[in-house]
Amino acid sequence: MARNKPLKARDIMTAGAKCVGEHESLLDAAKLMRELHVGALPICGDDDKLQGLVTDRDIVIKCVADGVDPASVEAGSLGGELHWIDADASATDALASMEQHQVKRLPVIDVQNGHRLVGMISEANLAQNLSDKQIAEFASKVYAGAH
């Protein structure tokens, strides 16, 4: 079936993203990642608003590899630079943002309804919803500087 309207971020995202609280430990974050079968989690503050994003790689590189106990580190301490997209932005804008910032996951925020996290866009979402050409361009831009 052909679509009459361009895809929006909310159309391609995985809905229902779960957050790790900014004061929860990295051990808690790792357990939640395992339970959800994901490699990244949004970090939400006490106000339930997005504060950052923590990845399994962050936990390993910035905590475990330094001999630090993940149970002793708050997730909020690894939030890093935050990039997100409005749920009503176009899927093309989401792709462009991921390419520009060289990120593989992008939180989706419903700006008009309380600025709340409503989902995540990942590489898998892109693969399911965009053209082969768009996916190839994404891969060349995001993985070009990868080590």
Side-chain angles (χ1 to χ4, degrees):
M1 175 175 20
R3 289 184 61 91
N4 294 335
K5 295 189 243 176
L7 287 173
K8 292 185 177 184
R10 73 170 70 249
D11 297 325
I12 68 169
M13 72 181 189
T14 299
K18 291 196 179 184
C19 286
V20 62
E22 67 181 332
H23 300 296
E24 290 183 76
S25 74
L26 292 180
L27 180 61
D28 294 330
K31 287 178 179 179
L32 186 55
M33 285 180 195
R34 179 181 64 194
E35 177 187 321
L36 298 173
H37 306 285
V38 297
L41 286 173
I43 302 167
C44 290
D46 295 333
D47 58 0
D48 285 332
K49 299 225 175 168
L50 184 65
Q51 301 294 319
L53 189 72
V54 64
T55 67
D56 49 6
R57 187 173 194 279
D58 291 336
I59 295 170
V60 171
I61 301 297
K62 298 176 182 174
C63 180
V64 177
D66 288 337
V68 177
D69 178 5
S72 70
V73 179
E74 289 186 351
S77 69
L78 291 189
E81 190 175 1
L82 181 60
H83 304 288
W84 56 271
I85 192 85
D86 184 344
D88 290 323
S90 73
T92 305
D93 287 346
L95 174 65
S97 178
M98 293 171 77
E99 289 174 350
Q100 176 187 353
H101 301 294
Q102 293 189 316
V103 296
K104 300 169 192 164
R105 301 165 186 96
L106 193 62
V108 181
I109 303 292
D110 191 340
V111 173
Q112 291 191 7
N113 291 306
H115 214 270
R116 298 281 181 220
L117 176 72
V118 292
M120 294 282 289
I121 295 175
S122 68
E123 295 168 293
N125 299 117
L126 297 178
Q128 293 169 352
N129 291 283
L130 301 176
S131 73
D132 289 346
K133 181 180 179 192
Q134 288 173 306
I135 295 164
E137 288 175 9
F138 168 80
S140 70
K141 290 177 182 174
V142 172
Y143 289 100
H147 296 88

